[in-house]
Every structure is written in C-alpha cells, then in structure tokens.
Amino acid sequence: MAEGGEDIQALIAALARLPGLGPRSARRVVLSLIGRKPGQMAQLATLMSRVAETARACTRCGNISEAEICAICTDPARQTGELCVVEHVADLWALERGRAFRGRYHVLGGTLSALDDISPEDLGIPRLLARIGPEQVTEIILALNATVEGQTTAHYIADALPDGLTVTGLAQGVPIGGELDYLDDGTITAALRARRRF
Ligand code: ZN
C-alpha cells in the first residue's frame, strides 16, 4: 500500500471525518505524529482514551466536564441570577474565553426543528424552566446563533418563560447567520455587554 499500512490508513480515515480536518489535513497530522519523538503519539492516545472515559455533560447545564456537575455550576461566585442560554458547548466556551459573563449557562445542544424532529424536550427546555425558581434566576440571556433556527428557538423559549424575568438577547456584532463559536472574543464580549431586551 502506497500510504502506510491498513492501520495507518484507518487512522487517517478516522481523523478525516473530524470537523475542520478532511483527508489532506488528516494525512499531514498522521505523518507529523509518526515523525515526532517516540512517546508523543502514545501520550496523545492515552489522553484520548482518558477523556473518552471521563468527559460527560454536566447534569445541570450541559457543559462538558469531568464531574457530574461542572465547575461553573458549583462556583458560588457565579450565583448572579443570570442564566445564559446557548446552542452548543462550543458557544459556552467561546463566551468564557471573553471573560465578560459571570453567571451560569444552559446548553440546549441544538435548535428546534420540525424537519429533524427536534422537540423542546430534546433541547432540555423543560429542564431550563425548572432551574429558574431553585437557582433564583432573574435574567435569561438568549445567546443563540443569529440564524433562522437560532432565533425561532429563542422566541419559543422567550414565550415559555414565566412573567417577571428579564429576557435579553445578544446585541450588535453578531452577523446575521453568524455562529458564536466563529466570532472573535472581543466581538462576542461586546455583543454580550450591549445585550438588549428580547
Ligand atoms: Zn454545569
């Protein structure tokens, strides 16, 4: 076989299916790993199998962590009454990189879609509503992507929330059709600071 052996081919094929890679990058990654100091690839393999064992969704907010309840949910300094709703864990991590938000999160894991048969229950919306009382939430920030699906989901949640809560959305800076994870940290921070009533 021209490109390594069967295992090497299988590794390249597996990496090529990952987001942001593809066959060409996968080949480069594998060749570079094989060419490096012995031990580096084994270390990577060990880390991957450890993370595969320990990584899980926080049962409260949906953030990926190594504990049943993540560090954000258990941090008493973050009991600010502000709850930021995001589509994906990558969005939560993008907001955290901006360091502007000191409240807590709720990760939906997607958006409502009749086409793909994704219901409010699938997105943990009842679980979100159930957090409001016990966690003394006063403001819900709907930090969903500026896509049709994101905004449809935001409106659905806004309608389902009890009266008396402040409901806000991200302000300017999020381009139409924009996905939060692709914004730079400064833009996402500015959009959060200048949030408007929903
Ligand atoms: Zn959490």
PDB file of all heavy atoms in Angstrom, residues 7 24-25 44 54 93 95 117 191 195:
ATOM      1  N   ASP A   7      -3.626  -0.031   9.259  1.00  0.00           N
ATOM      2  CA  ASP A   7      -3.929   0.747  10.468  1.00  0.00           C
ATOM      3  C   ASP A   7      -3.718   2.236  10.229  1.00  0.00           C
ATOM      4  O   ASP A   7      -4.517   3.070  10.678  1.00  0.00           O
ATOM      5  CB  ASP A   7      -3.039   0.281  11.631  1.00  0.00           C
ATOM      6  CG  ASP A   7      -3.511  -1.048  12.202  1.00  0.00           C
ATOM      7  OD1 ASP A   7      -4.637  -1.469  11.857  1.00  0.00           O
ATOM      8  OD2 ASP A   7      -2.750  -1.653  12.977  1.00  0.00           O
ATOM      9  N   ARG A  24      -6.738  15.500   3.465  1.00  0.00           N
ATOM     10  CA  ARG A  24      -5.414  16.097   3.283  1.00  0.00           C
ATOM     11  C   ARG A  24      -4.786  16.461   4.633  1.00  0.00           C
ATOM     12  O   ARG A  24      -3.640  16.097   4.917  1.00  0.00           O
ATOM     13  CB  ARG A  24      -5.574  17.345   2.412  1.00  0.00           C
ATOM     14  CG  ARG A  24      -4.305  17.978   1.990  1.00  0.00           C
ATOM     15  CD  ARG A  24      -4.643  19.296   1.277  1.00  0.00           C
ATOM     16  NE  ARG A  24      -3.457  20.131   1.186  1.00  0.00           N
ATOM     17  CZ  ARG A  24      -2.594  20.043   0.192  1.00  0.00           C
ATOM     18  NH1 ARG A  24      -2.781  19.187  -0.782  1.00  0.00           N
ATOM     19  NH2 ARG A  24      -1.539  20.838   0.183  1.00  0.00           N
ATOM     20  N   SER A  25      -5.564  17.161   5.486  1.00  0.00           N
ATOM     21  CA  SER A  25      -5.058  17.512   6.820  1.00  0.00           C
ATOM     22  C   SER A  25      -4.816  16.270   7.647  1.00  0.00           C
ATOM     23  O   SER A  25      -3.855  16.203   8.415  1.00  0.00           O
ATOM     24  CB  SER A  25      -6.057  18.418   7.538  1.00  0.00           C
ATOM     25  OG  SER A  25      -6.271  19.580   6.809  1.00  0.00           O
ATOM     26  N   LEU A  44      -0.656  11.079  23.359  1.00  0.00           N
ATOM     27  CA  LEU A  44      -1.914  11.552  22.782  1.00  0.00           C
ATOM     28  C   LEU A  44      -2.986  10.463  22.889  1.00  0.00           C
ATOM     29  O   LEU A  44      -4.136  10.732  23.253  1.00  0.00           O
ATOM     30  CB  LEU A  44      -1.684  11.945  21.321  1.00  0.00           C
ATOM     31  CG  LEU A  44      -2.858  12.530  20.561  1.00  0.00           C
ATOM     32  CD1 LEU A  44      -3.280  13.866  21.148  1.00  0.00           C
ATOM     33  CD2 LEU A  44      -2.506  12.703  19.090  1.00  0.00           C
ATOM     34  N   THR A  54     -13.758   9.974  30.835  1.00  0.00           N
ATOM     35  CA  THR A  54     -14.177  10.907  31.888  1.00  0.00           C
ATOM     36  C   THR A  54     -15.085  12.034  31.403  1.00  0.00           C
ATOM     37  O   THR A  54     -15.841  12.582  32.200  1.00  0.00           O
ATOM     38  CB  THR A  54     -12.946  11.559  32.551  1.00  0.00           C
ATOM     39  OG1 THR A  54     -12.165  12.203  31.544  1.00  0.00           O
ATOM     40  CG2 THR A  54     -12.096  10.524  33.264  1.00  0.00           C
ATOM     41  N   TRP A  93     -18.016  27.854  25.671  1.00  0.00           N
ATOM     42  CA  TRP A  93     -16.565  28.030  25.807  1.00  0.00           C
ATOM     43  C   TRP A  93     -16.112  29.330  25.148  1.00  0.00           C
ATOM     44  O   TRP A  93     -15.204  29.995  25.632  1.00  0.00           O
ATOM     45  CB  TRP A  93     -15.819  26.816  25.221  1.00  0.00           C
ATOM     46  CG  TRP A  93     -15.986  25.577  26.055  1.00  0.00           C
ATOM     47  CD1 TRP A  93     -16.763  25.434  27.181  1.00  0.00           C
ATOM     48  CD2 TRP A  93     -15.360  24.295  25.849  1.00  0.00           C
ATOM     49  NE1 TRP A  93     -16.669  24.146  27.665  1.00  0.00           N
ATOM     50  CE2 TRP A  93     -15.821  23.422  26.877  1.00  0.00           C
ATOM     51  CE3 TRP A  93     -14.483  23.798  24.898  1.00  0.00           C
ATOM     52  CZ2 TRP A  93     -15.395  22.091  26.973  1.00  0.00           C
ATOM     53  CZ3 TRP A  93     -14.068  22.475  24.993  1.00  0.00           C
ATOM     54  CH2 TRP A  93     -14.515  21.633  26.025  1.00  0.00           C
ATOM     55  N   LEU A  95     -17.890  32.116  24.945  1.00  0.00           N
ATOM     56  CA  LEU A  95     -18.276  33.183  25.870  1.00  0.00           C
ATOM     57  C   LEU A  95     -17.331  33.225  27.070  1.00  0.00           C
ATOM     58  O   LEU A  95     -16.977  34.293  27.555  1.00  0.00           O
ATOM     59  CB  LEU A  95     -19.723  33.001  26.334  1.00  0.00           C
ATOM     60  CG  LEU A  95     -20.770  33.435  25.302  1.00  0.00           C
ATOM     61  CD1 LEU A  95     -22.095  32.741  25.534  1.00  0.00           C
ATOM     62  CD2 LEU A  95     -20.948  34.943  25.322  1.00  0.00           C
ATOM     63  N   ASP A 117     -37.244  16.749  13.531  1.00  0.00           N
ATOM     64  CA  ASP A 117     -37.963  16.162  14.650  1.00  0.00           C
ATOM     65  C   ASP A 117     -37.255  16.440  15.983  1.00  0.00           C
ATOM     66  O   ASP A 117     -37.126  15.546  16.817  1.00  0.00           O
ATOM     67  CB  ASP A 117     -38.104  14.640  14.432  1.00  0.00           C
ATOM     68  CG  ASP A 117     -39.379  14.117  15.100  1.00  0.00           C
ATOM     69  OD1 ASP A 117     -40.242  14.949  15.423  1.00  0.00           O
ATOM     70  OD2 ASP A 117     -39.472  12.898  15.308  1.00  0.00           O
ATOM     71  N   ALA A 191     -20.977  42.027  22.227  1.00  0.00           N
ATOM     72  CA  ALA A 191     -22.375  41.671  21.982  1.00  0.00           C
ATOM     73  C   ALA A 191     -23.076  41.301  23.279  1.00  0.00           C
ATOM     74  O   ALA A 191     -24.256  41.591  23.470  1.00  0.00           O
ATOM     75  CB  ALA A 191     -22.449  40.502  20.997  1.00  0.00           C
ATOM     76  N   ARG A 195     -26.182  43.700  25.424  1.00  0.00           N
ATOM     77  CA  ARG A 195     -27.397  42.902  25.170  1.00  0.00           C
ATOM     78  C   ARG A 195     -28.644  43.763  25.375  1.00  0.00           C
ATOM     79  O   ARG A 195     -28.644  44.714  26.132  1.00  0.00           O
ATOM     80  CB  ARG A 195     -27.411  41.667  26.055  1.00  0.00           C
ATOM     81  CG  ARG A 195     -27.448  41.931  27.552  1.00  0.00           C
ATOM     82  CD  ARG A 195     -27.342  40.605  28.269  1.00  0.00           C
ATOM     83  NE  ARG A 195     -27.391  40.744  29.713  1.00  0.00           N
ATOM     84  CZ  ARG A 195     -26.327  40.853  30.493  1.00  0.00           C
ATOM     85  NH1 ARG A 195     -25.122  40.879  29.970  1.00  0.00           N
ATOM     86  NH2 ARG A 195     -26.464  40.947  31.807  1.00  0.00           N
TER      87      ARG A 195
END
